[in-house]
Amino acid sequence: MRIVRYLETPTAPTPAIGVRDGDTITALPGDLAGLLSMSLSSLRDVVDAALSDAAAVRVAAADVQLLAPVDGATEVWAAGVTYHRSQQARMEESERSADIYERVYDAKRPELFFKSVAWRAAGPGRPIQVREDSEINVPEPELALVLNSAAELVGLTICNDVSSRSIEGENPLYLPQAKVYLGACALGPWITPIWDVADPYALGISMEIDRGGATVWSGTASTAQLHRTFDDLVEHLFRADDFPAGAILSTGTCLVPDLPFTLDAGDTVRIGIDGIGSLENPVVRGKVAAR
């Protein structure tokens, strides 16, 4: 079972929300932001009611265009330095402040940062951007938590936290420029309800980067390597803030290509997480191409 956000046709006036079960999508009422304002138990009741309703609107999954599973006023946030590989990569790229990342890895307070508004997030098959003013740019495959307004974990999805290593490495205060721009966040392909995931701390993660028909980088890891708990990350995110339309919280990366590898325009990035799905996006260079 998957919760999907989609367009029935490319010219449809508004996105729809539904539940994919096999090859069929059953429409749900309202929008995803509305669902994330509900409690976990209420959300599950809405999903179950739709699937059992013989009169519910149903479409073939092959006939729709999947969109990023985030809308309305829902924000995308991300955590950093939550895996040992991430700590190593951030220290390697930093020119003057490597010790900052060494300290934050074991600090009581995690690194959390705003990543994207809903409208800027790219869905499956949509382009991700590498900045024209950055020499080294990489994808970062991450398990993302889908949270409701009450900070309950209701589902999981995939996030590609596209990042400029050269900009961030120059100065840690440049983090927003390295992380927050058009085409720097991809989500999808859908939301897997948390009640369908046996153990979110035991999910294999893989990433492949293809260039000119050949794989130029690949790697595998597991959420078992996560250095922090979901509860810890969520508690800090909601500690002094409210999210009436829920939030997406990406949990950090465990796969980073070694320097000096960088994405190029024309590359394709494919991220897979066991039990969640696969997210694939082409790479473009510059804001104009990302539009």
Side-chain angles (χ1 to χ4, degrees), residues 234-252:
V234 173
E235 191 279 326
H236 278 88
L237 181 65
F238 279 76
R239 179 177 289 187
D241 213 343
D242 282 333
F243 299 90
I248 308 293
L249 176 56
S250 202
T251 56

Side-chain angles (χ1 to χ4, degrees), residues 77 107-112 228-241 243 249:
W77 285 68
K108 183 176 182 180
R109 183 186 296 273
E111 178 195 14
L112 298 177
R228 295 183 183 269
T229 66
F230 299 154
D231 287 345
D232 177 37
L233 297 175
V234 173
E235 191 279 326
H236 278 88
L237 181 65
F238 279 76
R239 179 177 289 187
D241 213 343
F243 299 90
L249 176 56

Side-chain angles (χ1 to χ4, degrees), residues 1-290:
M1 182 190 305
R2 305 288 188 263
I3 297 174
V4 295
R5 184 169 170 266
Y6 62 96
L7 287 175
E8 289 193 49
T9 66
T11 58
T14 58
I17 189 75
V19 180
R20 177 172 178 170
D21 191 9
D23 295 328
T24 302
I25 295 175
T26 301
L28 293 173
D31 58 17
L32 182 56
L35 295 180
L36 296 183
S37 68
M38 301 178 181
S39 67
L40 174 60
S41 60
S42 295
L43 172 60
R44 189 166 186 175
D45 288 344
V46 168
V47 170
D48 290 343
L51 290 175
S52 62
D53 184 0
V57 175
R58 291 178 170 84
V59 296
D63 294 338
V64 307
Q65 176 187 340
L66 293 180
L67 304 174
V70 58
D71 65 6
T74 306
E75 298 175 356
V76 182
W77 285 68
V81 200
T82 55
Y83 289 85
H84 183 57
R85 176 63 188 119
S86 178
Q87 177 202 21
Q88 288 179 314
R90 299 276 281 272
M91 292 176 67
E92 290 166 1
E93 73 196 18
S94 179
E95 297 178 3
R96 303 178 182 88
S97 306
D99 62 321
I100 289 177
Y101 303 113
E102 185 175 19
R103 295 199 305 269
V104 78
Y105 182 70
D106 289 316
K108 183 176 182 180
R109 183 186 296 273
E111 178 195 14
L112 298 177
F113 57 91
F114 175 79
K115 180 63 183 177
S116 181
V117 292
W119 66 264
R120 194 181 284 132
R126 303 305 299 166
I128 53 177
Q129 181 200 168
V130 293
R131 293 182 61 127
E132 292 182 301
D133 61 349
S134 173
E135 296 178 357
I136 299 179
N137 307 274
V138 293
E140 295 188 4
E142 304 185 7
L143 178 71
L145 312 180
V146 182
L147 308 167
N148 66 12
S149 57
E152 293 180 296
L153 177 58
V154 300
L156 302 172
T157 191
I158 299 171
C159 178
N160 188 345
D161 174 20
V162 185
S163 305
S164 164
R165 296 190 70 181
S166 50
I167 291 176
E168 184 179 2
E170 185 178 346
N171 191 314
L173 294 180
Y174 295 163
L175 178 70
Q177 296 176 74
K179 293 279 193 177
V180 187
Y181 55 88
L182 185 66
C185 176
L187 293 172
W190 42 57
I191 295 169
T192 300
I194 194 61
W195 58 83
D196 274 357
V197 181
D199 184 0
Y201 290 103
L203 303 177
I205 301 176
S206 64
M207 182 171 70
E208 294 181 353
I209 303 172
D210 294 340
R211 180 175 298 162
T215 298
V216 293
W217 193 91
S218 65
T220 60
S222 170
T223 58
Q225 299 166 269
L226 186 64
H227 184 59
R228 295 183 183 269
T229 66
F230 299 154
D231 287 345
D232 177 37
L233 297 175
V234 173
E235 191 279 326
H236 278 88
L237 181 65
F238 279 76
R239 179 177 289 187
D241 213 343
D242 282 333
F243 299 90
I248 308 293
L249 176 56
S250 202
T251 56
T253 192
C254 47
L255 292 170
V256 182
D258 290 334
L259 292 170
F261 181 91
T262 185
L263 287 173
D264 285 341
D267 290 354
T268 298
V269 179
R270 184 166 46 256
I271 299 169
I273 299 183
D274 293 347
I276 308 302
S278 178
L279 176 63
E280 183 173 312
N281 300 93
V283 179
V284 298
R285 177 171 291 276
K287 181 174 67 173
V288 173

